[in-house]
Amino acid sequence: MQWLDTYALKAEARMDDDPALARKVYTRLAQRLIENGTGTSLLFGTIKEETNLILAECMQSAGCRAFVGKLSMDIDITSPDSKTITYVEPSASASLGAAQSFINHCHGLVSHLHESQRLVEPVLTPRFVPTCTDELLKGLGEISRTEGVKIQSHLAEAKDQVEWVRAERGIEDIDVFDKHNLLTPRTVQAHCTFLTAPDFARISESGTAIAHCPLSNAYFSAKPFPLREALDAQVTVGLGTDVAGGYSLDMMSSMRHAVAVSRMREGDRVMKSDGNANVDSRNFVIDWKESLYLATRGGSLALGLQGFFRVGGPFDAQEIRIYDPVSGSGIGPLDYFDLESQFSDQRSGPSSSLLTVEEIEKWWCIGDLRNRGAVWIQGKKVRST
């Protein structure tokens, strides 16, 4: 809450007041996403409709698929002594009207294009429970039902946020969303660090997906996300970077942090399990392959996309370059001494080498932007080697 009050709300208000700045920032954002190989993003915008339409325009122009969320919030959460101007919509009805208008105009941006070329889509975005009245949440649930529009928000993210909801509403975060029909197969909830095993069962049954942002959790939550428990409960989980909630747009960073956090959780479980029958017996670790799945197909499924290669399907891909047979050396930070020896033998050639799992894992461990080649979104090359 302090971070929002000090930084985020101020930045959003500045963007809403300056369309030229918004266009500059969002154009750069699209460039950065492509540089990092991210072809599809679920984005929180600001409260002003025009600013979010600029965001949608910038993503569409850059060839980036984007689910764009105009924030909905009719409760002011700025503190009385805040240096930030009040950042809130005037009423629930005004917020609902703006959300509906944004949906219509966002669809209108791409309505003239062939369906395969429509890359942006509106998303209903109640910021989180402390910023939304019951009237607003109920109305957003109804709009999602009638329009078939996706929903995104933050759920059970941080200790102060969870305690605020309990004090103000008298129920848990998840119950607030549920009673207003905001836990649906069209919903993606970010963070969810304070959910319990019964909560994950509810999330799974509702078809709601979770965006797991491990580094952001380290900054803003008092505990890590129970990833293994969520996966075991058949919850759809995709990895996110949280953009401003971390220090890298690169999904590689999120993959590595997801594995590291899971290993720390497992270490803590093992320490507590010594002679204690009440400690969960399952292994909390996820490996690099699971993290790669969550960063690719997991994220696709969370967003209602196909998430795999097949004839006739959307071609969303990035080229990973790990070894250059011409120069006989690894690319970027990668060194493959066995391959170097193989290619130094004049009797060998590129066709004699098969990519091994270990060589891919090495890229996962220490690869960087230098290993990223071409990027395709919806079959169109948006980045060349």
Coordinates of all heavy atoms in Angstrom, one line a residue, residues 98 101 248 251 306 352 367:
A98 N -17.4 4.0 -17.7 CA -16.1 4.2 -18.4 C -15.6 2.8 -18.8 O -14.9 2.7 -19.9 CB -15.1 4.8 -17.4
S101 N -17.5 1.8 -22.0 CA -17.0 2.7 -23.1 C -15.7 2.2 -23.6 O -15.4 2.1 -24.8 CB -16.9 4.1 -22.6 OG -16.4 4.9 -23.7
S248 N 13.0 -6.6 -13.9 CA 13.3 -7.1 -15.3 C 12.0 -7.5 -16.0 O 11.1 -8.1 -15.4 CB 14.2 -8.3 -15.2 OG 14.4 -8.9 -16.5
M251 N 11.2 -12.7 -19.0 CA 10.6 -13.8 -18.4 C 11.6 -14.8 -17.9 O 11.3 -15.7 -17.0 CB 9.6 -14.5 -19.4 CG 8.7 -15.5 -18.7 SD 7.6 -14.8 -17.5 CE 6.5 -13.9 -18.6
Q306 N -4.2 -21.0 -27.2 CA -4.0 -22.4 -27.4 C -2.7 -22.9 -26.8 O -2.7 -24.0 -26.2 CB -4.0 -22.6 -29.0 CG -5.3 -22.4 -29.6 CD -5.3 -22.7 -31.1 OE1 -4.6 -23.6 -31.6 NE2 -6.0 -21.9 -31.9
S352 N 26.0 -33.3 -37.6 CA 26.4 -34.4 -36.7 C 26.0 -34.2 -35.3 O 26.2 -35.0 -34.4 CB 27.9 -34.7 -36.9 OG 28.6 -33.7 -36.3
G367 N 21.6 -18.1 -19.9 CA 21.4 -17.4 -21.1 C 20.9 -16.0 -20.9 O 20.4 -15.7 -19.8

